[in-house]
Amino acid sequence: MSDAVLKLNAITKVYNQGAPGEVSVLRDASLSLKPGEVVALVAPSGAGKSTLLHIAGLLDTQDAGQVMIRGKDMGKLSDRKRTETRREEVGFIYQFHHLLPEFSALENVVLPQLANGVSPGKASEHAMKLLEKTGVAARACHRPAELSGGEQQRVAFCRALANQPALLLADEPTGNLDPETADLVFGVLMELVRASGLSALIATHNMELAARMDRVLRLEDGHIV
Ligand code: ADP
């Protein structure tokens, strides 16, 4: 499938290779995401979801196999080009928001755009639109510590989408919220993803949330099934 936004071909990852504590986390793990597709990655804790997302998002390297983003083999890029691809094409969301505590919600969404060369005026306008879409515009001038868990996560979604990536990788994005808030905030995330048309791989162990995505992949014994 040459039009895949993300393609993982036979990814293998072993931690502490050759040492007594060797952990073989991924073995020939393969998957493919079409444009606009939202896919759940389901597995119990410790199965290797974060490892797979980090490799797909170029934050970690595999021991064998190939990561393709929009048809390009990431293994063939220089470190500089990989960093550039990560910044321009990939958005990340974690279980914990990881917002910068000393900056406001708005500034947290503006900063990645400035790093990408967008002018402050345009970045601010775009950030405000995203905060409006996720229902947190009224909290734009507040720092993360002054926001609820659900609001913090909404701001983190805006930050991940600020540079209009082609691919969103999310690691238990609502895992830190109570079930009711998780349900609501997940709905906000899905609306945002659908409106922007990007492809998303979302790790979760919540089967109800997984069922709301286009497809469910399971990670079992290091393989995608
Ligand atoms: P998940 O996200 O599904 O909970 P992880 O990808 O975080 O799983 O971890 C998969 C396995 O790899 C676990 O057994 C974990 O202990 C191990 N692991 C993760 N990172 C490292 C590391 N840097 N060094 C050694 N082992 C690791």
Side-chain angles (χ1 to χ4, degrees):
M1 223 192 318
S2 60
D3 70 342
V5 172
L6 170 70
K7 201 163 182 201
L8 301 182
N9 288 327
I11 298 289
T12 295
K13 179 76 179 177
V14 183
Y15 287 115
N16 306 323
Q17 198 149 22
E22 179 175 298
V23 199
S24 176
V25 185
L26 302 173
R27 302 172 215 193
D28 286 339
S30 299
L31 63 83
S32 180
L33 290 195
K34 288 183 225 153
E37 209 180 15
V38 179
V39 173
L41 179 66
V42 176
S45 182
K49 297 185 295 295
S50 306
T51 302
L52 184 111
L53 290 173
H54 285 161
I55 290 171
L58 313 176
L59 291 169
D60 196 356
T61 50
Q62 65 276 23
D63 295 311
Q66 194 184 31
V67 177
M68 312 269 291
I69 294 180
R70 293 174 111 187
K72 278 196 203 141
D73 183 349
M74 294 296 121
K76 293 196 172 137
L77 299 185
S78 64
D79 281 352
R80 214 196 77 210
K81 277 275 174 203
R82 275 169 66 91
T83 304
E84 216 172 275
T85 305
R86 183 170 65 232
R87 212 174 53 209
E88 290 172 5
E89 310 272 24
V90 187
F92 274 100
I93 301 170
Y94 301 93
Q95 182 174 357
F96 298 96
H97 59 80
H98 295 307
L99 296 169
L100 298 170
E102 67 273 34
F103 291 99
S104 69
L106 182 74
E107 286 164 337
N108 267 281
V109 186
V110 163
L111 287 169
Q113 298 180 72
L114 299 185
N116 241 12
V118 179
S119 74
K122 280 225 164 88
S124 206
E125 200 180 308
H126 181 51
M128 215 45 217
K129 272 196 194 132
L130 286 169
L131 294 173
E132 272 161 22
K133 275 191 199 159
T134 51
V136 281
R139 316 293 282 153
C141 297
H142 292 262
R143 290 183 185 193
E146 298 161 353
L147 305 179
S148 72
E151 287 169 342
Q152 289 166 345
Q153 237 11 20
R154 289 174 198 229
V155 177
F157 299 168
C158 297
R159 178 189 52 185
L161 268 67
N163 284 328
Q164 290 153 301
L167 173 65
L168 177 72
L169 299 171
D171 198 352
E172 302 275 0
T174 58
N176 186 36
L177 305 172
D178 64 81
E180 208 174 306
T181 308
D183 195 60
L184 201 78
V185 168
F186 185 78
V188 170
L189 176 62
M190 285 300 275
E191 267 175 40
L192 200 61
V193 166
R194 295 298 189 197
S196 51
L198 50 67
S199 306
L201 184 60
I202 303 178
T204 181
H205 47 234
N206 181 328
M207 287 313 295
E208 272 171 46
L209 297 187
R212 286 158 70 180
M213 301 186 220
D214 298 329
R215 213 152 41 97
V216 178
L217 298 176
R218 277 166 217 280
L219 186 56
E220 273 178 29
D221 292 330
H223 304 283
I224 300 281
V225 291

